[in-house]
Amino acid sequence: MRVAFGAFILDSETRELLEHGCRLHVSPKAFDLLKLLIERSPSVVSKTELQDRIWAGAFVGDANLSVVIAEIRQALRDDARNSTLIRTVHRVGYAFSGAATDLSAKGAQAGTFHRCWLVWRDKTFTLGNGENVIGRDPRCSVWLDASGVSRRHAAIAIEPDEVTIADLDSSNGTFVGGQKVTRPCRLSDGEAIELGSASLTFRMWSDERPPKTERLARPKKA
């Protein structure tokens, strides 16, 4: 399994957790627990099942589980009080709540490849299926370190039949094509999006209407 979520990639074959291509150091139990939560996403995995799967044959309490969950959150910079990746279901268990995309060959054949992306300055941000939160918080799916952008500014939802953007009660508002977004707004390829001082372009690949390849004029030989 090779799965991408935000700036992170989890690779079960190499047993690596990467952030922007750099390996993060997590314990084997933290890696296995995160892998299990992603595999079962968005379902809640009970504490009992987590303890049985991660500590097979050993008796452990909730404290052991809490320590490993805290390790995962620290690695992913996921604040327990304002979590975007690991959701706590009190007295029940935990769930992975991020937008994950399968990068394996099997997943690509199933059509889970990135088909939407954002362009900001010289950067490109691929968008995964489901919700992609955009903001100045590094834990967001799309991190914009720009003035005027709220910590959780807006969210783009990638669904099979449409793509929409919604403002998340930001301080400076979200604008598409110069119009303020007051409710979820449908996006089309090439739309101009403004979040505070950040101007972005939304791009979407369509197999039905792929972009035309530009023909280059070459000078004729003398």
Side-chain angles (χ1 to χ4, degrees):
M1 180 178 77
R2 183 175 171 84
V3 178
F5 52 98
F8 303 95
I9 292 178
L10 183 139
D11 192 324
S12 62
E13 292 188 7
T14 62
R15 289 190 65 83
E16 290 181 312
L17 177 61
L18 308 172
E19 181 183 16
H20 294 301
C22 297
R23 185 178 180 182
L24 298 178
H25 297 284
V26 294
S27 68
K29 284 185 169 50
F31 185 92
D32 290 338
L33 199 154
L34 177 59
K35 176 177 175 289
L36 177 58
L37 291 179
I38 292 175
E39 287 176 338
R40 298 286 293 277
S41 174
S43 300
V44 177
V45 185
S46 70
K47 293 181 179 180
T48 300
E49 181 178 353
L50 289 172
Q51 291 165 352
D52 291 343
R53 293 281 297 275
I54 306 303
W55 290 272
F59 176 79
V60 296
D62 288 353
N64 301 78
L65 181 58
S66 297
V67 169
V68 177
I69 289 291
E71 180 186 352
I72 294 172
R73 282 185 167 142
Q74 183 177 10
L76 303 180
R77 295 192 298 278
D78 192 50
D79 188 352
R81 292 172 296 181
N82 189 27
S83 175
T84 59
L85 294 174
I86 307 298
R87 180 166 64 93
T88 301
V89 182
H90 295 291
R91 294 192 293 274
V92 179
Y94 299 91
F96 182 82
S97 55
T101 301
D102 188 353
L103 300 180
S104 64
K106 180 179 179 181
Q109 293 173 0
T112 57
F113 59 93
H114 292 298
R115 62 184 180 93
C116 299
W117 64 98
L118 289 172
V119 179
W120 178 55
R121 296 177 178 174
D122 59 345
K123 297 180 180 180
T124 299
F125 302 90
T126 52
L127 303 174
N129 295 332
E131 184 181 67
N132 298 265
V133 177
I134 310 168
R136 200 151 45 91
D137 190 325
R139 292 166 295 186
C140 291
S141 304
V142 176
W143 176 32
L144 299 181
D145 188 13
S147 62
V149 175
S150 298
R151 291 178 65 249
R152 288 168 55 86
H153 196 112
I156 293 179
I158 311 293
E159 303 297 341
D161 55 343
E162 67 175 3
V163 179
T164 58
I165 186 171
D167 185 73
L168 300 180
D169 295 324
S170 65
S171 299
N172 295 307
T174 299
F175 295 81
V176 174
Q179 300 295 317
K180 187 173 184 179
V181 174
T182 57
R183 56 184 175 180
C185 169
R186 191 164 187 166
L187 289 174
S188 300
D189 181 46
E191 294 269 27
I193 302 173
E194 294 180 18
L195 309 177
S197 61
S199 297
L200 305 93
T201 302
F202 172 74
R203 299 305 311 274
M204 178 168 58
W205 172 272
S206 172
D207 289 330
E208 296 179 358
R209 296 186 300 278
K212 294 182 179 180
T213 301
E214 179 184 0
R215 290 189 175 274
L216 302 176
R218 297 185 180 277
K220 294 182 179 180
K221 294 182 178 180

